[in-house]
Amino acid sequence: GTCVSRSVTSCADCGQACPAGALCCGAGCVPSGPNNCNSCGNQCRGDTPSCCPSGCTNIRTDELNCGSCGAPACTAPNSQCCGGGCVNPQTDREHCGPNCEDCRRLFGLIGRCVEGGCRAL
């Protein structure tokens, strides 16, 4: 007999709680994810396709979520997040330089990463 605001504890009907990790959007519970990242209608797209607790992010390049949400930060010397893993962009021929270039794609089997740049060696 009392009006209540919709929330995760009373979403579609009074007392109907949303399951853990779900949001109350409109008149029903929806999972938090790329279409409703931590809030209703917040869509993750383009450069930030993954939904993490911190919000939309790109787990292939985000230093604080490298490879998965909440993964340890890339802290080793000369380490950065490329392709979902921590690598040394000064020497890694598959993830070379600040743009994580694949030297093999540029130069084939002779492609190498030298001081952060792809070279044919």
Side-chain angles (χ1 to χ4, degrees):
T2 304
C3 293
V4 295
S5 299
R6 291 189 180 188
S7 67
V8 292
T9 56
S10 291
C11 190
D13 294 319
C14 265
Q16 178 191 358
C18 293
L23 304 167
C24 182
C25 296
C29 299
V30 298
S32 180
N35 291 323
N36 296 288
C37 185
N38 303 328
S39 64
C40 300
N42 183 28
Q43 294 185 327
C44 299
R45 298 182 185 161
D47 290 343
T48 58
S50 299
C51 179
C52 292
S54 58
C56 294
T57 189
N58 186 335
I59 61 172
R60 296 183 55 78
T61 58
D62 187 315
E63 296 294 326
L64 300 177
N65 297 288
C66 188
S68 65
C69 294
C74 299
T75 57
N78 295 320
S79 181
Q80 85 179 40
C81 184
C82 285
C86 296
V87 300
N88 183 339
Q90 296 296 305
T91 59
D92 189 313
R93 74 180 193 164
E94 293 179 40
H95 307 96
C96 185
N99 296 322
C100 302
E101 292 180 291
D102 186 344
C103 297
R104 296 174 308 162
R105 186 173 33 166
L106 295 173
F107 295 105
L109 294 176
I110 61 172
R112 298 285 185 267
C113 182
V114 179
E115 296 178 9
C118 289
R119 310 274 188 275
L121 298 176

